[in-house]
Amino acid sequence: MRVAIRADASAVIGTGHVRRCHSLAKALAAEGADVRFFTRDLGVDTAALLSPAVALHKLPAPSAPPSLPYDGPAHLAWAGVSQDRDVADMLGAMGSEWSPDLVIVDHYAFDARWHEAVHARTGARIAVIDDLGDRPITADFFIDHNWHEDFGRKYAGRLARPAEMLTGPGYALLDPLYATAPRHVPRDSVGSIGIFMGGGDAATSTAHVLDAIEAAGFDGAIEVVSTSANPHLDALRERLAGNEKAVLSLDLPDLAAFFARHDLHVGAGGGATWERFCIGAPSVLLSFALNHDHVLLPLRQLGLAEALPLGWDAKDLAGAIAKLASDPQLRRDFSVRGQSLVDGRGCQRVADRLMDG
């Protein structure tokens, strides 16, 4: 089966969409699919986020701000071009000798207009990865690996026609290696803290997290993970230079070992939430958008993690860190419950359904 994947990374978008699509690409390739990745040059070296085995096709960087319709998706500007232009560029990059059987798209900037245009031009089935539910969608498969109490209600009126729904953390799009990666072993005391605020750290939030850790009275080892796509990397290096107990790790191929080796984690909501749960990493999760709130606050109510809503400050975070650091039983509970929710085989489940479908 020939599979085209369309996703982007940028300072605004972050790297999470490309990362989760890369994980799915690996699972599909393992089942014998011919997978090709299509991404636009938006200022992030996408090739550095993908394994060399993934066939990457780069779409041209936007030449100028596009003329966008007022009735398009709320995040349409994130693509840098109009939906029609994006479809034309992607089809041009495919060439005339290769046509997909399935197109997977993970992009808030595209709605049913993009999905229907690609289907009309290629005849391919469409699989949409989304978690916002803020625009019309036309798909054969629909994937949302976040937690929600009622996905039918979340996407009511958004799907133009029935789609096979692959929803919930059982379908978490984690790298297949997470299924067998070593898990975190809880300890009675917190010897080290891990910080991962996403590949781009768009809100420069790592500095606020470091302030909160200090305010919480923690003076142990700290590891900060980021990527070369972080536009604030120089400032982050400067901040960490004065702390001999803090280290910066860049462009790790995966975060499984990072999540396993620290007793407490602080991080942004998003795809890494499910990676933390899978490894059993006790965590304080931070919201940076309303769609984060819709996932993280229920997780807090379910006793899976500490979570702070949009608008949190360093004082709130310091209190949450101190609470979790002082309660070994709570950390053990978080570790066990997270692993019961996410087993690391979500990509395999999605790949199986896409191939069978």
Side-chain angles (χ1 to χ4, degrees):
M1 188 167 76
R2 298 178 299 276
V3 181
I5 297 180
R6 178 74 184 91
D8 283 334
S10 72
V12 175
I13 296 171
T15 60
H17 297 265
V18 168
R19 288 182 66 217
R20 65 190 184 187
C21 283
H22 181 221
S23 298
L24 182 54
K26 292 168 70 173
L28 287 164
E31 296 216 8
D34 174 8
V35 184
R36 305 191 182 187
F37 211 106
F38 297 82
T39 184
R40 190 171 298 281
D41 181 0
L42 297 176
V44 169
D45 182 9
T46 312
L49 304 174
L50 305 176
S51 62
V54 175
L56 175 62
H57 298 264
K58 285 192 174 182
L59 308 184
S63 58
S67 176
L68 302 176
Y70 290 107
D71 60 349
H75 297 83
L76 182 56
W78 286 16
V81 299
S82 68
Q83 296 194 79
D84 292 342
R85 179 74 263 167
D86 195 89
V87 171
D89 287 347
M90 181 175 171
L91 295 175
M94 288 180 188
S96 58
E97 298 182 358
W98 189 89
S99 182
D101 303 300
L102 174 70
V103 174
I104 301 170
V105 56
D106 186 354
H107 213 304
Y108 297 156
F110 305 144
D111 63 11
R113 179 173 178 173
W114 191 99
H115 309 146
E116 292 166 5
V118 170
H119 172 72
R121 296 283 294 275
T122 65
R125 291 166 297 157
I126 305 296
V128 174
I129 300 173
D130 187 54
D131 47 41
L132 292 184
D134 68 342
R135 60 201 185 282
I137 288 170
T138 301
D140 300 281
F141 302 93
F142 184 81
I143 304 155
D144 181 346
H145 68 185
N146 290 290
W147 187 91
H148 196 276
E149 61 183 0
D150 186 350
F151 284 98
R153 176 167 54 84
K154 180 177 179 179
Y155 293 104
R158 294 303 186 187
L159 299 177
R161 55 182 170 82
E164 180 168 349
M165 304 292 284
L166 308 177
T167 55
Y171 293 102
L173 298 176
L174 310 188
D175 191 296
L177 66 84
Y178 275 84
T180 56
R183 271 36 180 176
H184 171 70
V185 178
R187 301 191 304 167
D188 288 339
S189 61
V190 174
S192 63
I193 294 178
I195 303 172
F196 176 61
M197 303 308 296
D201 192 14
T204 63
S205 51
T206 301
H208 300 303
V209 174
L210 291 168
D211 290 340
I213 290 174
E214 182 178 347
F218 180 78
D219 61 355
I222 297 172
E223 181 179 8
V224 178
V225 166
S226 189
T227 72
S228 298
N230 185 346
H232 314 289
L233 199 52
D234 288 343
L236 180 57
R237 285 193 173 105
E238 184 177 348
R239 172 62 189 269
L240 295 176
N243 189 340
E244 60 185 23
K245 293 185 178 181
V247 298
L248 174 63
S249 299
L250 286 179
D251 300 324
L252 300 180
D254 67 82
L255 302 184
F258 164 70
F259 289 135
R261 63 176 164 257
H262 298 295
D263 301 301
L264 190 156
H265 282 267
V266 182
T273 295
W274 314 118
E275 295 177 354
R276 297 181 183 99
F277 284 6
C278 181
I279 299 300
S283 302
V284 179
L285 304 176
L286 305 175
S287 173
F288 291 92
L290 285 177
N291 62 306
H292 286 177
D293 278 1
H294 296 158
V295 175
L296 298 186
L297 300 187
L299 294 178
R300 182 179 67 187
Q301 294 172 353
L302 292 169
L304 289 157
E306 285 293 317
L308 298 183
L310 187 64
W312 59 270
D313 59 26
K315 182 179 179 181
D316 298 329
L317 179 54
I321 292 170
K323 174 184 175 182
L324 193 53
S326 64
D327 193 336
Q329 186 57 52
L330 183 58
R331 296 198 304 276
R332 290 189 182 93
D333 290 344
F334 284 172
S335 182
V336 171
R337 293 168 187 164
Q339 291 178 70
S340 71
L341 187 67
V342 184
D343 64 5
R345 292 178 169 82
C347 265
Q348 186 62 57
R349 294 185 182 98
V350 173
D352 288 344
R353 291 306 311 136
L354 296 180
M355 296 290 282
D356 290 346

